[in-house]
């Protein structure tokens, strides 16, 4: 038996090991290979690979192979290096943006201590930019970044920072492809560069909902092995003027108010959301307006079918293909099927993905899909505080979030919202008639901000950023971007099944 080398990992003999055995399974995940020493007639070769831990966490583990001769060791090293080089999905050069200001202000430390050493071991080279101001990364991507030099972009920060990155990338892709990014009816060109998220923000919903955890090491390993996950993007316009893109939560009412209030408490870090959440729950504001939507037709899946979007999701594959092949026909066929709902709402949420995060492990719409070309429009009508609490508690429990009389959900391709105070004269007249001499307007008191009446309108929380307008037109662009992720894996615990 060959003696173990002086590393903490157990030694395994390489010579007799054949492809298909346990070692070969691990070699599929290899990203580091280096011959470190030679003993008498023995070559020692540590190989790093990915090991799955609990709750979707990945860790880098190491196995040490020993070969009886230097020549056989070199053959193994060369063979594995060749396999790795032939794998085109693994990135070799990455453009990294770090937000030093997000979350608990740990972005730089997290990257330097947990991520950079892994990239170095895997032979991934990087160009790192620590942002100096908000929108630095977005503007750099739009105008300066030499994107041809890179295989992907990495974002170290929270959902707001990720939003900056995709705004830069999407805009740049459209301009390079002569597509007008400002037009709401334009078919946008998908971005070719994948984006990796190293979570270092306050909610980290986009990372959590695409990987299953907000762990920087896990995300770094998904980037290194070259995973790919397509993702829908919503474009948001106001009067045909482009406002923003959104990939996770677009929330008016409760979530808009929480965000507005929490920005003033940024010094508190992620805890600001808990305090603002409690405050806005107690405030219990409702808002009037009109929601119109184009239901998603002819696709697989409904918001209440209990089918979670998981790695290799068939719903996303099916709907993605359908929408890319028949996009034009589909849009035309559905024109004219707009539905309209007027009312008083505590919250209007559009979840383009589950929006799972540590605060809400199933998310706001547990059966929403990452890449099916739709968003789940959730309307929470005015109800008592007690009922609203029941609704909020369902974000954290196993009960059906939508099985409440004052909550409805629609899977849609497009929707519009007009707050009551922006409605046209004819709509207002209709409201007056429908609501018996305008009692519906009793809460509105914009002229008397000091009188303590409820405000007439809220703001939209768009992936953690406040929108400047309340009347919006939202359209889903199926699979516009790609992440270095593979969706949440559903594995039997302890099983390693990545051999493909
Ligand atoms: C009484 C129990 C109530 C429990 C309610 C918990 C509900 C939590 C749902 C959170 C959904 C989050 C959707 C994601 C939003 C993020 O994009 C956004 C910005 O993130 P980041 O840039 O990382 O800061 N986060 C929020 O808007 C925070 C919402 C928190 C609401 C309590
Ligand atoms: N260097 C910087 N200084 C100030 N703000 C920044 C900087 N870099 C990025 N930002 C902005 O910080 C905001 C929050 O970033 P994010 O990473 O999402 O953290 P959090 O999750 O805590 O909100 C985003 O709106 C982003 O545009
Ligand atoms: Ca979706």
């Amino acid at each position: 038996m060959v003696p173990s080398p002086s590393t903490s990992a157990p030694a395994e003999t390489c010579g007799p090991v054949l492809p298909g055995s346990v070692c070969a399974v691990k070699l599929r995940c290899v990203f580091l290979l280096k011959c470190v020493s030679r003993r008498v007639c023995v070559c020692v070769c540590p190989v790093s690979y990915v090991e799955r831990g609990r709750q979707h966490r990945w860790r880098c583990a190491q196995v040490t192979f020993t070969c009886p001769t230097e020549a056989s060791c070199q053959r193994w090293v060369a063979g594995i290096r060749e396999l790795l080089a032939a794998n085109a999905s693994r990135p070799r050069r990455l453009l990294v943006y770090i937000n030093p200001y997000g979350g608990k202000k740990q972005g730089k430390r997290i990257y330097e201590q947990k991520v950079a050493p892994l990239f170095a071991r895997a032979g991934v080279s990087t160009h790192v930019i620590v942002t100096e101001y908000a929108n630095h990364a977005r503007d750099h991507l739009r105008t300066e970044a030499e994107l041809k030099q890179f295989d992907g972009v990495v974002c170290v920060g929270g959902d707001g920072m990720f939003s900056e990155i995709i705004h830069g990338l999407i805009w740049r892709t459209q301009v390079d492809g002569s597509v007008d990014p400002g037009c709401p009816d334009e078919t946008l060109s998908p971005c070719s560069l994948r984006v990796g998220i190293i979570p270092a923000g306050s909610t980290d919903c986009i990372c959590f909902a695409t990987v299953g955890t907000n762990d920087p090491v896990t995300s770094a390993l998904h980037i290194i092995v070259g995973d790919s996950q397509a993702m829908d993007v919503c474009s948001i316009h106001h009067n045909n003027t482009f406002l923003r893109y959104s990939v996770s939560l677009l929330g008016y009412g409760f979530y808009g108010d929480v965000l507005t209030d929490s920005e003033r408490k940024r010094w508190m870090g992620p805890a600001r959301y808990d305090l603002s959440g409690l405050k806005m729950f107690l405030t219990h504001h409702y808002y009037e307006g009109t929601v119109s939507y184009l239901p998603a037709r002819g696709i697989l899946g409904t918001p209440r079918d209990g089918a979670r979007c998981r790695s290799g999701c068939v719903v996303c594959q099916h709907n993605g293909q359908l929408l890319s092949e028949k996009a034009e026909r589909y849009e035309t066929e559905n024109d004219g099927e707009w539905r309209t709902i007027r009312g008083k709402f505590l919250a209007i949420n559009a979840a383009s993905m589950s929006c799972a995060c540590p605060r809400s492990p199933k998310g706001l719409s547990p059966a929403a899909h990452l890449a099916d070309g739709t968003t789940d429009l959730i309307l929470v009508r005015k109800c008592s505080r007690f009922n609203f609490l029941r609704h909020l508690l369902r974000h954290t429990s196993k009960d059906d979030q939508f099985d409440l009389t004052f909550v409805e959900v629609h899977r849609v391709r497009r929707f519009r919202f007009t707050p009551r105070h922006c409605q046209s004269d004819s709509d207002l007249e209709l409201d007056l008639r429908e609501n018996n001499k305008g009692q519906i307007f009793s809460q509105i008191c914009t002229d008397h901000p000091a009188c303590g009446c409820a405000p007439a309108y809220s703001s939209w929380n768009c992936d953690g950023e406040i929108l400047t307008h309340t009347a919006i037109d939202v359209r889903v662009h199926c699979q516009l971007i790609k992440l270095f992720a593979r969706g949440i894996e559903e594995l039997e615990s302890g099983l390693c099944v990545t051999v493909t």
Side-chain angles (χ1 to χ4, degrees):
M1 190 67 189
V2 178
S4 291
S6 57
T7 62
S8 54
E12 289 188 23
T13 51
C14 248
V17 172
L18 296 170
S21 67
V22 172
C23 275
V25 171
K26 288 175 176 168
L27 288 181
R28 197 253 168 215
C29 308
V30 163
F31 64 86
L32 169 85
L33 190 66
K34 200 175 173 187
C35 225
V36 287
S37 71
R38 190 181 168 199
R39 298 189 177 181
V40 190
C41 294
V42 174
C43 272
V44 178
C45 172
V47 175
S48 297
Y49 65 97
V50 172
E51 197 166 68
R52 291 189 175 85
R54 283 165 26 145
Q55 293 175 330
H56 308 288
R57 281 173 178 243
W58 281 13
R59 281 291 168 266
C60 181
Q62 216 172 56
V63 62
T64 303
F65 294 86
T66 56
C67 295
T69 65
E70 189 178 345
S72 74
C73 184
Q74 275 170 3
R75 277 201 301 279
W76 275 92
V77 171
I80 297 170
R81 283 212 175 116
E82 223 172 90
L83 278 176
L84 291 180
N87 186 338
S89 58
R90 291 164 71 112
R92 268 122 197 133
R93 189 155 164 74
L94 294 169
L95 176 57
V96 180
Y97 294 98
I98 303 176
N99 177 1
Y101 168 81
K104 294 179 182 163
K105 299 190 169 48
Q106 297 294 306
K108 206 159 165 283
R109 186 190 63 78
I110 288 171
Y111 181 77
E112 282 164 3
Q113 292 184 4
K114 298 188 172 185
V115 178
L118 286 174
F119 283 171
R121 275 167 78 182
V124 177
S125 67
T126 52
H127 177 69
V128 179
I129 296 175
V130 180
T131 62
E132 287 163 20
Y133 47 88
N135 292 325
H136 181 175
R138 184 199 65 185
D139 295 344
H140 186 259
L141 276 165
R142 271 186 177 191
T143 51
E144 275 175 66
E146 301 225 15
L147 297 182
K148 285 202 175 74
Q149 290 183 6
F150 300 100
D151 305 314
V153 178
V154 172
C155 151
V156 185
D159 294 347
M161 187 60 186
F162 177 79
S163 176
E164 270 200 37
I165 302 288
I166 62 158
H167 277 79
L169 266 186
I170 296 174
W171 197 89
R172 177 80 174 263
T173 308
Q174 309 319 308
V175 169
D176 288 353
S178 305
V179 175
D180 176 6
C183 172
D185 295 312
E186 190 70 87
T187 300
L188 300 181
S189 301
C191 302
S192 53
L193 285 184
R194 282 167 290 172
V195 184
I197 309 174
I198 303 296
S202 301
T203 314
D204 296 324
C205 160
I206 301 161
C207 178
F208 196 95
T210 53
V211 175
T213 179
N214 58 337
D215 171 53
V217 169
T218 304
S219 290
L221 293 170
H222 279 283
I223 295 170
I224 287 166
V225 302
D227 276 340
S228 186
Q229 169 67 53
M231 205 157 78
D232 298 335
V233 176
C234 290
S235 62
I236 304 156
H237 289 78
H238 167 79
N239 284 346
N240 288 326
T241 304
F242 172 74
L243 295 182
R244 283 193 81 88
Y245 297 112
S246 163
V247 295
S248 60
L249 172 69
L250 191 53
Y252 186 80
F254 181 71
Y255 286 107
D257 294 349
V258 169
L259 187 69
T260 306
D261 190 71
S262 69
E263 279 302 305
R264 295 189 279 266
K265 303 181 174 65
R266 203 162 242 292
W267 56 271
M268 291 177 71
R272 69 190 185 278
Y273 289 136
D274 301 319
L275 197 65
S276 297
L278 177 66
K279 183 174 160 190
M280 288 309 145
F281 166 72
L282 294 173
T283 310
H284 200 61
H285 282 161
Y286 66 87
Y287 301 94
E288 298 180 38
T290 304
V291 183
S292 320
Y293 62 92
L294 195 55
R297 294 235 170 270
I299 51 144
L300 286 183
T302 68
R304 296 183 67 184
D305 62 11
R308 306 281 176 90
C309 185
R310 290 292 179 261
S311 211
C313 176
V314 287
V315 171
C316 291
Q317 280 172 28
H318 176 273
N319 296 352
Q321 210 175 6
L322 188 86
L323 294 178
S324 59
E325 282 170 4
K326 301 183 185 164
E328 296 303 320
R329 220 185 85 210
Y330 182 86
E331 295 289 344
T332 324
E333 274 174 6
N334 277 275
D335 249 349
E337 286 192 28
W338 284 83
R339 296 187 185 167
T340 299
I341 298 174
R342 272 198 196 84
K344 302 173 179 179
F345 305 100
L346 284 169
I348 298 170
N349 299 323
S352 296
M353 55 168 73
S354 70
C355 294
C357 61
R359 280 188 177 79
S360 171
K362 280 188 312 161
L364 298 193
S365 191
H369 288 269
L370 289 169
D372 68 339
T374 73
T375 187
D376 286 353
L377 181 62
I378 305 162
L379 307 177
V380 185
R381 289 177 186 272
K382 184 189 168 199
C383 61
S384 67
R385 263 198 197 85
F386 174 72
N387 271 337
F388 191 52
L389 181 63
R390 283 173 66 210
H391 165 69
L392 289 179
L393 285 174
R394 289 193 184 191
H395 293 347
T396 60
S397 77
K398 290 205 168 103
D399 296 334
D400 181 354
Q401 317 224 6
F402 309 121
D403 187 19
L404 294 165
T405 52
F406 51 91
V407 179
E408 58 189 278
V409 60
H410 308 276
R411 188 153 285 177
V412 309
R413 300 263 304 124
R414 193 163 180 170
F415 74 92
R416 296 188 181 119
F417 174 73
T418 315
R420 210 301 261 143
H421 71 288
C422 292
Q423 277 171 218
S424 63
D425 289 348
S426 56
D427 280 352
L428 290 176
E429 269 173 39
L430 194 69
D431 278 351
L432 273 165
R433 262 183 270 128
E434 277 174 4
N435 292 285
N436 197 12
K437 294 183 193 152
Q439 278 170 14
I440 192 172
F441 308 142
S442 55
Q443 71 151 346
I444 296 171
C445 198
T446 39
D447 295 339
H448 307 101
C451 75
C453 291
Y457 53 92
S458 171
S459 307
W460 284 97
N461 173 342
C462 174
D463 295 354
E465 307 294 310
I466 307 274
L467 287 187
T468 47
H469 289 88
T470 47
I472 57 170
D473 177 359
V474 180
R475 175 178 165 203
V476 189
H477 299 265
C478 187
Q479 307 189 359
L480 191 64
I481 57 169
K482 275 188 285 200
L483 297 189
F484 284 111
R486 57 172 66 177
I488 299 175
E489 292 183 297
E490 215 147 56
L491 297 173
E492 286 177 46
S493 58
L495 221 70
C496 180
V497 289
T498 2
V499 191
T500 48

